[in-house]
Amino acid sequence: MLNLILILLPLISFGQHLKCCKSVNEVELYLNGNWIEKKAEANTVYEFWFENGKGHLSEKEITENGDELIELEIQPYVEVIKYEGGFKIKFTYPYESWTSELKYLNSNKLILIRDGKETEYYRYKK
């Protein structure tokens, strides 16, 4: 029995932590809004919004004075995909697309995994 617990415990602890969401619609509701990467030099704000079943992502740069956001031209489409292990987000640009696994999501924190690398974001409120 102890062996079974020791085998399953790591699998459970590395899974998704999405206490907020059980459906694609709930993930979309939590993603709506502005997010910024959690690192000292981060100056790009990512705004997610969903309408009529379509997701959008706008990238905005924070100006040097920190008071203004300048929208960048490339805006990918976003699709939340539910799969057996949780949720993924597919980003589709005009010439490429990629998918990130959604590891953690609540109203203030987002963790995405792409190519084995975790990136943490927090809700940007200005």
Side-chain angles (χ1 to χ4, degrees), residues 6-99:
L6 292 175
I7 291 170
L8 292 178
L9 186 60
L11 296 175
I12 293 167
S13 64
F14 289 118
Q16 292 184 330
H17 303 285
L18 301 179
K19 296 175 185 172
C20 68
C21 312
K22 297 196 184 315
S23 71
V24 168
N25 189 40
E26 287 179 297
V27 172
E28 292 174 354
L29 288 172
Y30 271 84
L31 278 176
N32 266 323
N34 295 320
W35 298 88
I36 190 164
E37 191 172 342
K38 184 181 178 179
K39 62 180 183 179
E41 67 276 1
N43 68 343
T44 302
V45 175
Y46 302 93
E47 180 184 12
F48 288 91
W49 76 96
F50 297 85
E51 57 187 7
N52 301 323
K54 294 183 180 177
H56 305 275
L57 176 65
S58 174
E59 297 179 27
K60 301 173 184 180
E61 293 290 323
I62 301 172
T63 59
E64 287 185 26
N65 65 13
D67 292 336
E68 189 179 352
L69 297 176
I70 300 170
E71 191 163 346
L72 303 177
E73 291 189 30
I74 299 174
Q75 297 182 358
Y77 291 103
V78 178
E79 179 184 4
V80 177
I81 302 166
K82 185 172 185 169
Y83 73 106
E84 192 175 296
F87 295 93
K88 294 183 179 185
I89 302 174
K90 182 177 181 181
F91 299 89
T92 304
Y93 288 85
Y95 299 105
E96 67 177 329
S97 68
W98 69 83
T99 303

